[in-house]
Each structure stands twice: as C-alpha cells, then as structure tokens.
C-alpha cells in the first residue's frame, strides 16, 4: 500500500494526487501487480478495461472509438459479416461476395468520419487509403491471376502476392504519415487499417469475378461459399489491415513527426511480412490439399483466424508500448502536443484530466486515444497536428 | 459545456453500416444478373457515360 501514499510517480518522478490510480504523465499503474515493470499489460491504454493481449479487433484497429462506440463498431462488423454469410447460405453468391468485400472497408470509412480521423481532410485520406488501395488490390489480383510469376501456384499466391499486397497497401498510409497533419502513430495505424482492408476488398472482388459472369461460377456448394465468404468478410481484411497497420505505425513512430524507415519500421515491417506470408502461404497450401474443397476452405478459414488473432495481439502490444514510451519521454521533457489544458476531460470515463495530462489518472486511457474533436478540445488547439507543440 | 466526442450516435453507426453494405451487395447482385442475361447492356451504359 506504499504506492498509495507516495507523492511522486516511481517511473517518471512527476508529482501525483494520492487518489490517482494511474500517473497522468507516463501512464504508470500505481496498483500494478509487478511494480518493477511499467508496461501495465493488464490495462490497455486505448481501453483500460481490456488486457493488452486480447483479440478485440475494434480497440486494436479503430483505437479512437471509446465507450459505447466500441460496442457499436463490434455490432456493425458482426452484422455486416453475418449478412454476407447468410447470403452465401441462401445461394446469393454475387451479393455475398460484394458484401463480404465491403463489410470492413465500409465500417472503417464510417469510423474515419465518426472520430474525424481524417482531421477535416477526407479527400486525400479516402483517395490514398481506400480508393487507391482497393484499385491496386483488384489490379494486382488480375495481373497475378493472368500472368504466373513464380515457379508454381504456391510461390505465386503464397509469397509474391502478399509481399506485393503489403508494399502497395503501404503507399497511401506512408504518404499520409509523412505529412505533419497525420504524423501520429494512431493516424498511421488507422490509415494502414483502411488501406489493408480496401486492398483485400479489391483482391476479393477480382478473385471471385467469375461469379458475376454467369451461373457456371455459382454452381459450387453452399458449404464452400460460406467458408469462402467468411474468410473474405472478416479474416482476410483483418489480416491485411493488421499487417499494414503494424508496418505503418512503425514508420510513423511515437513522437512528433514521423520516424521514417528506421529500426522501428524494419522490425514492424518484418512482423507484417511474416504475418502476411504465413497467412497466404497457409491458405495456398491448405487449398492444395487432396481433400474436399469445402474441407480445405474450412481449414484455411481456421488457419486465417489463428494468424489474424496473432497479428491483432502484436498490433495492440505495439500501440500500447509505443504510447507508454511516448508518455514517459514526454514526462521527461520531450515535446508533446497531446498535453491537456484546463477543462479537459477523458473520452472514456468523462473524468477531468489533470493539467499537462497524457493519460487519465482515473481510468488510464491515453489522451491520444480519443476522437479528434475531443483531442482538440482537451489540448486547446485548433488542430492536433501541424508539427508544433 | 459538453465536451465534443464522436459525430455519429452508436445506433446510427450500425444502421449506416448495414444499409451501405446491403446496398453495395444489391448493386453487385444486379450487375451479376445483368452480365448473366444482357451483358451488352453494361457496355451500352458504359458507352453512354
């Protein structure tokens, strides 16, 4: 109970009120079970009620959604995916393929508007992340389908395709992250999410374009289409979105401005490449198994779920540790543009934020993990970015 | 003064997502049906545009 009485944070040495649960400057959890580590893995900085190692897709890929908004996005994702799967069961294959491809990109687009992630500049964000990535996904899928590149299907579909997908999906998010307006790690992560999901959508529609040509493409059994549509609706976009988001967040880095192609990006890109290749290689190998097509497709779906879960945990850990590291550096004097001013309040629990707070001292939510309009209000700035304090 | 937050109410997020996804799916299905039975109609529309 000593920590209750301490007047200074043991991690950053800033003063604190005795009633605070978390340090408002560095995010330290005063009630942490392992006080020698400041990583507070039991309390995710975006949503402190969750553990960091959780598979909640919404608080990983859409980190500015808070409170009831998280449940709304979970419901929206679940419903849109359920509509696609139900259409596949009913034999409405073209409808199912399009809804499966559109489900995640549509929800991400709504989120971008909802939290004003595009900071009142929707056009460059929509064009760079969603439209260009979707078109690149469709075009690449068409080229790879027409012109074999590797020595066999597995090399072409399992190695070349994911590497191209990652590289092409990153163009838009990296361009946006290099602009002062969008140089925050959460911005890059979210744009990576949108670009990855849009690329997956373009690839899905192009891969299954035969279903639009005539009845021949729709003769496959319902079980097969259910697994294909479930994969296209939720697993593939999440794998692509998480991988691109990991790499984009590594490029952006933790402080003001972007870090660029440095060690953090190299480590993140390696993880993203590994995730993409492991996923697509697994799907290609399982698709080649000498079993019923529906069974191999179900195995690929299960494999994709495992890879998606791992990538989501990696992304959450990267975001969590990055925000904590940035908080500690700011507490030690590095400039930050997220420090709260008088009248600021937490977007998660609505409690007042202490002056210069980077975290809510009551619930531990990061001041960066709130809607952009709330961030502007809390920091007293007309815009969060612009590369200035 | 109430601090600003998300622009869309949670229930509306769900409604918009479902309506947009269903509308896109219906367009895809319609395109499939047209390509299936009258593919020249697509080219006529494109030529008209």
């Amino acid at each position: 109970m000593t920590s209750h009485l301490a007047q200074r944070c043991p991690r950053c040495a800033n003063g604190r009120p005795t009633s605070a649960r978390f340090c408002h400057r560095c995010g330290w959890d005063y009630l942490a079970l392992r006080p020698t580590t400041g990583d507070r893995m039991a309390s995710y900085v975006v949503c402190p009620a969750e553990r960091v190692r959780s598979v909640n897709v919404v608080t990983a890929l859409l980190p500015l959604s808070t409170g009831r908004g998280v449940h709304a996005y979970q419901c929206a994702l679940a419903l849109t995916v359920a509509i696609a799967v139900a259409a596949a069961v009913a034999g409405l294959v073209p409808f199912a393929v399009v809804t499966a491809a559109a489900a995640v990109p549509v929800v991400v687009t709504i989120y971008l508007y909802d939290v004003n992630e595009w900071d009142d500049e929707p056009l460059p964000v929509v064009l760079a992340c969603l439209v260009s990535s979707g078109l690149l996904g469709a075009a690449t899928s068409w080229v790879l389908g027409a012109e074999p590149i590797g020595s066999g299907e597995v090399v072409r579909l399992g190695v070349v395709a994911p590497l191209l997908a990652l590289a092409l999906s990153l163009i838009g998010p990296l361009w946006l992250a290099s602009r002062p307006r969008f140089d925050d790690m959460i911005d890059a992560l979210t744009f990576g999410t949108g670009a990855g999901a849009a690329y997956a959508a373009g690839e899905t529609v192009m891969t299954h374009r035969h279903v639009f040509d005539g009845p021949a493409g729709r003769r496959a059994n319902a079980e097969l289409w259910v697994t294909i549509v479930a994969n296209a609706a939720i697993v593939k976009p999440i794998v692509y979105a998480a991988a691109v988001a990991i790499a984009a967040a590594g490029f952006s880095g933790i402080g003001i401005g972007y870090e660029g192609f440095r060690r953090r990006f190299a480590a993140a890109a390696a993880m993203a490449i590994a995730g993409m290749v492991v996923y697509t290689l697994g799907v290609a190998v399982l698709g080649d198994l000498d079993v019923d097509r529906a069974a191999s497709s179900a195995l690929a779906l299960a494999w994709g779920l495992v890879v998606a879960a791992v990538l989501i945990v990696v992304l959450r850990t990267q975001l969590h540790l990055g925000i904590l590291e940035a908080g500690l550096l700011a507490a030690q004097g590095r400039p930050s543009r997220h420090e709260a001013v008088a009248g600021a309040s937490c977007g998660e629990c609505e409690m007042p934020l202490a002056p210069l707070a980077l975290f809510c001292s009551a619930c531990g939510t990061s001041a960066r993990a709130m809607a952009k309009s709330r961030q502007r209000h809390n920091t007293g700035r007309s815009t969060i970015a612009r590369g200035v304090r | 003064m109430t601090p600003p937050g998300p622009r869309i109410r949670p229930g509306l997020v769900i409604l918009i997502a479902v309506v947009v996804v269903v509308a896109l799916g219906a367009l895809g299905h319609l395109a499939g049906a047209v390509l299936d039975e009258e593919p020249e109609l697509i080219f006529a529309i494109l030529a008209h545009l």
Side-chain angles (χ1 to χ4, degrees), chain A residues 82-107:
Chain A
I83 289 168
V85 172
V89 172
L92 303 171
V93 178
F95 182 94
V97 168
V98 175
T99 48
V104 176
V106 164
V107 171

Side-chain angles (χ1 to χ4, degrees), chain A residues 79-80 83 95 99 106 110, chain B residues 12-26:
Chain A
L79 270 174
T80 49
I83 289 168
F95 182 94
T99 48
V106 164
I110 295 169
Chain B
L12 211 52
V13 167
I14 302 169
L15 186 66
I16 295 169
V18 169
V19 168
V20 173
V21 166
V22 168
L24 290 172

Side-chain angles (χ1 to χ4, degrees), chain A residues 83-153:
Chain A
I83 289 168
V85 172
V89 172
L92 303 171
V93 178
F95 182 94
V97 168
V98 175
T99 48
V104 176
V106 164
V107 171
V108 171
T109 308
I110 295 169
Y111 163 82
L112 291 174
Y113 169 79
D114 186 23
V115 301
N116 196 19
E117 175 62 72
W118 49 41
D119 211 7
D120 296 325
E121 279 196 12
L123 200 60
V125 173
V126 169
L127 287 178
C129 289
L130 300 168
V131 176
S132 67
S133 295
L135 292 175
L136 284 169
T140 312
S141 180
W142 182 74
V143 170
L144 286 181
E147 301 289 336
I149 290 176
S151 58
E153 286 289 303

Side-chain angles (χ1 to χ4, degrees), chain A residues 95 113-114 120 212 214-215 373-374, chain B residues 4-8 24-25 35-36:
Chain A
F95 182 94
Y113 169 79
D114 186 23
D120 296 325
F212 303 103
S373 50
R374 172 80 69 138
Chain B
R7 291 168 161 177
I8 312 175
L24 290 172
L35 278 171
D36 205 10

Side-chain angles (χ1 to χ4, degrees), chain A residues 36 53 64 104 114 116 159 173 196 211 236 250 301 330 362 384:
Chain A
T36 52
R53 294 193 181 98
L64 299 190
V104 176
D114 186 23
N116 196 19
V159 180
V211 303
K236 184 174 170 180
L301 178 65
I384 295 301

